[in-house]
Amino acid sequence: MQSLSGKAIAILATNGFEQSELETPLKTLRAAGADVHVISLKAGEIKGWDEDDWGSAVPVDKTLDSVSADSYDAIVLPGGQINPDLLRVESKAIDFIKSFWQQKKVVAAICHAPWLLVEAGIVKGRKVTSFKSIKTDVINAGGQWEDSAVVTDQGLITSRNPGDLEAFCEKIAEEINEGRHERRAA
């Protein structure tokens, strides 16, 4: 993986995140040298979902009220069914995601997390993938859905499931190192 030394990455999540979809990027991106913060709605810790039952808790580094996209090079949005569904009704979370996009920074979402991209108005006209059960939601929001492991469109990275995490993390590093992205129509 490319070095991410000197880069800062936000992982936005709440209770019910898919365990591997938060923990793998967290460990992988930190190992590449990035300063990675788990950001959530409240301080303390958030509990993951591990396949078919509650998983482990992960400490929250910063609350959404205390951060700005200005301090980060990218945002990573883990999936799971519960996590993005809870976050997409939180206007502060959606505004935080939008601010990364408006600043032409990397936005990466996996599995069900493209629901957050739909809510933020980011998928329209973009090549996107997701977990197959939200394909129609992505298409209805104007996304150009692809059945691919990882899809990248000018700094927007999406991946369909936890089996694709290695390629997802590699693409995050590559896109961050490319710098800011123009947002021409897809």
Side-chain angles (χ1 to χ4, degrees):
M1 168 164 298
Q2 296 181 27
S3 172
L4 291 170
S5 180
K7 303 297 183 183
I9 301 170
I11 297 179
L12 178 62
T14 193
N15 290 309
F17 62 87
E18 183 64 40
Q19 200 79 41
S20 64
E21 295 174 14
L22 186 149
E23 289 182 341
T24 299
L26 178 65
K27 291 173 185 169
T28 303
L29 299 170
R30 279 184 177 164
D35 186 16
V36 185
H37 297 146
V38 174
I39 298 167
S40 194
L41 303 169
K42 297 177 185 166
E45 53 186 31
I46 51 177
K47 194 158 190 166
W49 186 263
D50 198 358
E51 296 184 24
D52 57 2
D53 200 358
W54 289 102
S56 305
V58 171
V60 172
D61 298 308
K62 297 181 182 247
T63 62
L64 193 53
D65 288 336
S66 70
V67 295
S68 164
D70 298 343
S71 302
Y72 297 96
D73 297 289
I75 187 169
V76 176
L77 305 168
Q81 293 175 323
I82 301 166
N83 169 61
D85 199 39
L86 293 174
L87 286 175
R88 69 183 174 160
V89 297
E90 297 289 338
S91 60
K92 288 179 185 175
I94 298 307
D95 289 344
F96 188 55
I97 296 164
K98 281 181 186 178
S99 63
F100 279 85
W101 188 249
Q102 290 163 348
Q103 292 179 33
K104 302 179 180 179
K105 295 180 177 181
V106 173
V107 175
I110 188 168
C111 190
H112 287 76
W115 265 339
L116 295 166
L117 305 177
V118 166
E119 197 65 36
I122 292 172
V123 301
K124 186 174 183 176
R126 300 276 161 218
K127 296 177 194 170
V128 190
T129 194
S130 66
F131 192 74
K132 62 187 176 188
S133 68
I134 68 166
K135 170 185 175 180
T136 301
D137 298 335
V138 170
I139 292 169
N140 286 343
Q144 298 170 8
W145 194 87
E146 293 182 16
D147 186 15
S148 300
V150 178
V151 174
T152 305
D153 188 336
Q154 299 174 347
L156 178 64
I157 305 162
T158 51
S159 186
R160 61 182 172 204
N161 64 54
D164 305 319
L165 281 168
E166 184 178 331
F168 180 65
C169 291
E170 289 281 347
K171 191 49 91 169
I172 291 169
E174 180 183 318
E175 292 293 302
I176 289 172
N177 282 316
E178 282 182 10
R180 295 192 184 221
H181 292 79
E182 292 302 316
R183 304 290 190 212
R184 296 178 301 275

